[in-house]
Amino acid sequence: MGSNFGKNYCISIFGESHGTALGINIEGIPAGTELDLDFIREEMKRRAPGRSELATPRVEKDEFEILSGFINGKTTGTPLAMIIRNADQRSKDYSEIAKKPRPGHADWSGMNRYNGFNDIRGSGHFSGRITAPLVFAGAIAKQLLKEKGILIAAHIKSIKDIKDRDFEESDITQKNIDKWRKMILPVLNEEIIPKMEETILKAKENKDSIGGTVEITVMGMKPGIGNPFFESMESELARIMFSVPSIKGIEFGAGFDIAKMTGYEANDEMYYDEKGEVKSYTNNNGGLIGGITNGMPINFKVAIKPPASIGKRQKTVNLETEKDDFLEVTGRHDPAIVPRAIVVLEAATAIVILDQLLEARKYNI
């Protein structure tokens, strides 16, 4: 079904948005790992709905229950299973969607994929709520990566046409990461926050939605991690990013702008730093060459589309009457998913990086 990821840090997600529970099974956590449960709870709260008027008013605390693989505060080395019980469902909000698929949503494609047996309530397994288990697995991965001196940071690069500046290497400190984790709209230029808030609330008032972009950086990666071709660092990161609902694009380093450069401009010229380590003056390739880390920060951006569930009247089809029809989506939905998606994207990144590091360890890298 495609709900599994990883070769060494292996995850398998399950559940539906309005089902009894959703959760994850994780293999590959070293035995004896002491989990920072408070940190995991904080990460889960970053993704949870109901934190501000910029998000859906649905209230889910995302309180998790660890069912196996964890005892006396430490992992056992066997599979770790976790569930989150759903509490605030209003499944009647979706009765109309069963016969009128939402434009831009997975209703129609999902109905065809599962011959009409898919759970339509709250978007079922296609819901962004299913990313909560990813945040749980990513929080554990972040903890393990931090012990190796690897930090993962992200900020909102844009909301609609309002843009923040790009990361600079000096931005990525634990102090700044802790600060951004507490912000509803984590940006580098805080002067643009009021305008972003206004734009999101205006979309909400108009029964519409908007998208944006997020920039992610990984600091502390040594060179030589990854593979060429089919299991490259880029392809694995892209694969998990496109597994997050609403992600529609990804670009590494200079991204599409690199196509406008000459070879001389695009090439990242190299030097030895004061520690005797090889670095480059620029990072147009996003810290990755040939699918393998080169010692510079891994840097990429993702594009997030506007949420499909909007209150505006839209053209669709009626599967009962087999005629063209209209739909006005009711219920509780995010006018912009970008603020809540940041922690999900960080978590997904951490899952890939840890999986790749464990793979490299097999070859004594």
Side-chain angles (χ1 to χ4, degrees):
M1 182 177 164
S3 296
N4 309 302
F5 187 92
K7 295 175 64 177
N8 306 279
Y9 187 65
C10 309
I11 63 173
S12 178
I13 59 174
F14 63 88
E16 290 83 30
S17 178
H18 285 207
T20 303
L22 50 130
I24 194 166
N25 194 68
I26 308 172
E27 295 184 65
I29 306 173
T33 299
E34 186 174 349
L35 298 183
D36 186 341
L37 297 182
D38 288 337
F39 174 73
I40 296 174
R41 291 188 187 100
E42 289 170 3
E43 292 288 275
M44 301 294 280
K45 287 178 182 177
R46 292 175 64 198
R47 194 220 68 89
R51 291 178 68 207
S52 78
E53 61 179 340
L54 303 180
T56 170
R58 177 179 178 177
V59 178
E60 290 284 3
K61 296 181 180 179
D62 283 358
E63 294 177 347
F64 57 86
E65 301 174 39
I66 298 177
L67 304 180
S68 66
F70 184 69
I71 190 169
N72 297 325
K74 296 183 179 180
T75 58
T76 64
T78 56
L80 189 149
M82 179 279 291
I83 63 168
I84 302 167
R85 299 186 186 277
N86 289 319
D88 188 16
Q89 307 105 314
R90 293 185 188 173
S91 298
K92 60 181 176 57
D93 291 340
Y94 294 86
S95 57
E96 189 81 349
I97 293 169
K99 59 183 178 182
K100 297 180 185 179
R102 286 166 287 185
H105 204 284
D107 297 333
W108 175 239
S109 56
M111 287 176 189
N112 282 273
R113 170 65 176 82
Y114 297 108
N115 297 316
F117 292 103
N118 56 303
D119 187 348
I120 198 71
R121 301 169 303 163
S123 303
H125 193 70
F126 294 99
S127 171
R129 179 147 176 73
I130 312 303
T131 60
L134 281 183
V135 173
F136 178 86
I140 295 174
K142 281 183 181 180
Q143 179 183 334
L144 295 171
L145 293 174
K146 187 176 179 180
E147 293 172 359
K148 300 177 182 294
I150 297 171
L151 300 178
I152 296 172
H155 74 109
I156 297 175
K157 182 63 178 70
S158 68
I159 290 286
K160 203 170 182 286
D161 56 356
I162 306 165
K163 297 181 180 180
D164 194 14
R165 68 172 175 84
D166 286 348
F167 268 137
E168 295 177 2
E169 196 168 336
S170 59
D171 291 321
I172 315 302
T173 65
Q174 188 62 59
K175 181 179 179 180
N176 281 340
I177 291 172
D178 291 340
K179 173 186 173 183
W180 297 325
R181 289 179 67 241
K182 296 175 182 178
M183 297 171 66
I184 299 295
L185 296 176
V187 293
L188 306 178
N189 177 14
E190 296 182 28
E191 293 180 359
I192 64 175
I193 290 177
K195 193 170 183 180
M196 284 185 170
E197 290 176 339
E198 180 185 355
T199 302
I200 295 172
L201 292 174
K202 185 176 180 180
K204 183 179 181 180
E205 182 183 345
N206 292 335
K207 297 183 179 182
D208 211 340
S209 63
I210 53 176
T213 58
V214 171
E215 182 181 24
I216 301 109
T217 289
V218 184
M219 294 285 290
M221 288 292 288
K222 67 179 183 179
I225 307 299
N227 295 288
F229 294 101
F230 305 119
E231 293 183 1
S232 71
M233 185 67 80
E234 289 108 316
S235 61
E236 291 300 286
L237 284 168
R239 184 161 75 99
I240 201 166
M241 288 299 142
F242 284 122
S243 300
V244 176
S246 297
I247 301 302
K248 284 297 181 182
I250 186 169
E251 60 177 14
F252 292 87
F256 282 88
D257 284 341
I258 206 167
K260 304 173 186 176
M261 301 178 184
T262 65
Y264 181 77
E265 292 168 333
N267 291 342
D268 298 310
E269 295 183 288
M270 304 159 74
Y271 68 97
Y272 281 104
D273 68 7
E274 63 278 0
K275 298 179 182 179
E277 297 177 350
V278 174
K279 300 292 183 182
S280 59
Y281 294 100
T282 55
N283 195 21
N284 292 321
N285 291 279
L288 300 167
I289 299 288
I292 300 169
T293 58
N294 63 8
M296 292 295 288
I298 297 175
N299 178 267
F300 59 96
K301 299 181 182 74
V302 295
I304 304 172
K305 75 171 188 171
S309 295
I310 59 174
K312 275 187 177 293
R313 195 174 194 233
Q314 300 178 88
K315 296 175 183 177
T316 186
V317 295
N318 191 311
L319 302 177
E320 286 187 356
T321 64
E322 296 186 348
K323 295 182 181 296
D324 294 342
D325 209 331
F326 294 92
L327 175 68
E328 295 177 26
V329 178
T330 59
R332 301 161 297 172
H333 306 283
D334 291 271
I337 203 66
V338 178
R340 292 176 57 209
I342 290 178
V343 66
V344 179
L345 300 173
E346 290 175 6
T349 302
I351 290 166
V352 170
I353 298 300
L354 180 59
D355 190 54
Q356 291 277 324
L357 285 175
L358 292 173
E359 178 71 12
R361 194 169 67 179
K362 296 178 182 178
Y363 306 99
N364 298 316
I365 298 175

